[in-house]
Amino acid sequence: MSIAIESYPFAPYRELSNTELCTRIQSAKKELGSSLLILGHHYQQDEVIQHADLKGDSYQLSKLAAESSECRTIVFCGVHFMAETADILANRSDRIAIRGGARVRVVLPDMAAGCSMADMAAIRQVEAAWDQLGDVIDTNDLTPVTYINSAASLKAFCGKHGGIVCTSSNAKAVLEWAFKQRKRVFFFPDQHLGRNTSLKMGITNDFMPVWNPHEEMGGNSREAIESSKVILWKGHCSVHQMFQADHVHSFRKRIEGIKILVHPECPQEVNDIADISGSTSKIIETVKQSPPGSKWAIGTELHLVDRLKKEHPEQEIHFLSPLVCMCATMYRIDLAHLCWSLENIVAGTIVNEIKVKEETARWSVVALERMLSVK
Ligand code: 13P
Ligand code: SF4
């Protein structure tokens, strides 16, 4: 690999056609061989995901990153928190030792690919909430649980305070684990995943106050906090929040035999009346396992639903909302950014590297490993 002094600028890549970008991406991949791993989340657009070596939901991708041994660079076609998780897991001390001391460098092709939900909980807000809660309840009784869709600093906070990370695939098992440790849970940043999962476990809304970080005591009375079982952070996914109960009623009225399949990041009113609620992988598996002629209205990110439609023409698949609910930040990763980042790697320059600070990574690993060991 030659060592370049400067990186290639991005601007000229905007002028290239998709055909040319695809050809150049393929030749960069060929040149980098097994030293490169392109990971893609299921919500990614088709033209990008076709270049991914491995695709998955957040849980599968974090496991894949943790297992990487041959690769030296991961290019993450997802969003910022996913690339951070990949950096943390691929560079645990045991993994670095297996590679004879070599780190894996993680690249996010466009730094603007963030997550609005993750941005709804800043570490200083979570720390302030923890302190305020400590004035009312014993925080030794409280397990912090962060959804993987959060900044590394929140994962580190959970690692330090006996807490854990969850994904939409394992949220119930993680909450069961949390309740074995302590009697209450502080769940952030997605109130809907926290609420929908806890409801399935028999915990009612009376015992789930919502913590608004912009209000004193999160906008709650002392009594509400004292009697709480799960304290839910007031955060949400701007994509899944858009699905409504009316969309479900409308499909049921119009199409006989239709089944409603939704992600647990959707609000409770939608989850309560859906036929099936589950993670991205569960949604994919449910459709895969269904017989021809099955009818679905699916409430999750648009690109995934469109892909399912294409892959299963033998079934009738609809998008649950009349609106366009797509992850605009994940959509920032396009062929031009992918090609630009790969050609820079070939030239010996890592652009858009995601590198979590050592101390943050060390504590995040604690919370992530707790999650990976929960069955
Ligand atoms: P999963 O991949 O865990 O289903 O999460 C959905 C999501 O919002 C990813 O950002
Ligand atoms: Fe974040 Fe929602 Fe996009 Fe997932 S789908 S990355 S939670 S904004």
Side-chain angles (χ1 to χ4, degrees):
M1 207 187 266
S2 61
I3 303 297
I5 307 297
E6 281 184 7
S7 59
Y8 296 133
F10 173 65
Y13 287 81
R14 277 193 214 283
E15 312 304 320
L16 303 175
S17 70
N18 281 1
T19 314
E20 181 159 3
L21 287 164
C22 283
T23 309
R24 286 171 61 165
I25 288 169
Q26 276 155 13
S27 73
K29 280 185 71 173
K30 209 165 162 202
E31 182 138 353
L32 292 164
S34 61
S35 73
L36 169 76
L37 185 61
I38 303 183
L39 297 179
H41 189 273
H42 288 303
Y43 295 171
Q44 198 54 256
Q45 51 189 308
D46 281 351
E47 51 192 40
V48 170
I49 201 101
Q50 62 169 329
H51 298 291
D53 298 303
L54 300 166
K55 56 182 176 175
D57 69 3
S58 306
Y59 183 66
Q60 293 163 329
L61 292 173
S62 56
K63 285 190 83 167
L64 292 168
E67 285 157 14
S68 69
S69 51
E70 258 186 64
C71 93
R72 292 293 174 270
T73 315
I74 291 176
V75 173
F76 214 120
C77 297
V79 293
H80 193 272
F81 71 80
M82 297 176 186
E84 275 189 336
T85 307
D87 176 51
I88 294 165
L89 288 173
N91 291 308
R92 291 175 313 183
S93 48
D94 58 320
R95 303 308 301 171
I96 291 184
I98 288 172
R99 284 185 227 109
R103 276 187 71 86
V104 169
R105 319 262 314 253
V106 178
V107 168
L108 183 65
D110 185 345
M111 284 299 203
C115 164
S116 54
M117 177 200 287
D119 292 344
M120 287 177 200
I123 183 61
R124 57 173 174 77
Q125 294 175 313
V126 171
E127 283 168 348
W130 191 259
D131 288 347
Q132 283 189 54
L133 287 167
D135 293 338
V136 182
I137 52 175
D138 185 352
T139 47
N140 291 318
D141 286 343
L142 188 61
T143 307
V145 178
T146 191
Y147 189 19
I148 199 161
N149 301 21
S150 60
S153 51
L154 271 65
K155 296 179 179 88
F157 177 91
C158 290
K160 269 184 210 164
H161 291 87
I164 187 165
V165 177
C166 78
T167 71
S168 57
S169 303
N170 62 15
K172 188 161 175 280
V174 165
L175 284 190
E176 282 163 358
W177 176 93
F179 280 116
K180 276 190 202 137
Q181 320 302 311
R182 299 169 185 172
K183 67 179 189 191
R184 300 178 218 270
V185 162
F186 187 20
F187 191 97
F188 37 81
D190 185 20
Q191 59 172 305
H192 300 303
L193 178 66
R195 182 180 297 110
N196 291 324
T197 310
S198 304
L199 287 166
K200 278 190 190 160
M201 294 167 67
I203 301 167
T204 60
N205 276 318
D206 293 341
F207 301 97
M208 287 193 264
V210 176
W211 186 276
N212 180 346
H214 305 293
E215 288 185 33
E216 193 58 27
M217 196 53 71
N220 298 288
S221 63
R222 290 181 72 91
E223 296 71 38
I225 298 296
E226 277 163 357
S227 63
S228 67
K229 285 201 75 63
V230 180
I231 301 164
L232 299 168
W233 192 265
K234 195 174 185 328
H236 62 263
C237 164
S238 41
V239 179
H240 291 92
Q241 168 106 340
M242 283 161 80
F243 296 102
Q244 296 168 11
D246 276 352
H247 303 151
V248 176
H249 299 314
S250 160
F251 267 109
R252 287 202 171 127
K253 229 185 259 166
R254 282 185 287 130
I255 303 177
E256 211 193 307
I258 194 143
K259 293 259 189 300
I260 311 294
L261 179 52
V262 300
H263 195 282
E265 285 176 19
C266 295
Q268 183 193 340
E269 311 81 78
V270 175
N271 264 261
D272 279 354
I273 58 174
D275 294 287
I276 302 173
S277 158
S279 67
T280 300
S281 298
K282 181 165 173 187
I283 290 173
I284 294 169
E285 269 316 294
T286 303
V287 174
K288 250 192 205 163
Q289 304 301 329
S290 296
S294 301
K295 297 177 196 172
W296 299 107
I298 305 182
T300 193
E301 207 274 343
L302 181 65
H303 290 97
L304 172 60
V305 180
D306 281 347
R307 188 169 311 122
L308 286 170
K309 270 188 209 175
K310 274 186 225 146
E311 288 172 358
H312 296 279
E314 80 291 358
Q315 299 184 41
E316 184 181 326
I317 296 176
H318 301 267
F319 188 57
L320 181 59
S321 171
L323 305 171
V324 176
C325 309
M326 61 167 242
C327 183
T329 46
M330 202 169 299
Y331 191 65
R332 304 276 316 205
I333 310 285
D334 55 12
L335 288 178
H337 283 92
L338 179 58
C339 186
W340 170 69
S341 50
L342 290 178
E343 290 192 343
N344 271 295
I345 298 168
V346 171
T349 306
I350 302 286
V351 288
N352 288 3
E353 183 171 11
I354 303 294
K355 196 161 184 284
V356 176
K357 284 193 188 124
E358 214 179 297
E359 167 83 354
T360 308
R362 196 159 55 78
W363 282 110
S364 299
V365 164
V366 175
L368 282 161
E369 283 187 341
R370 285 186 187 127
M371 172 188 87
L372 292 171
S373 65
V374 166
K375 294 287 170 256

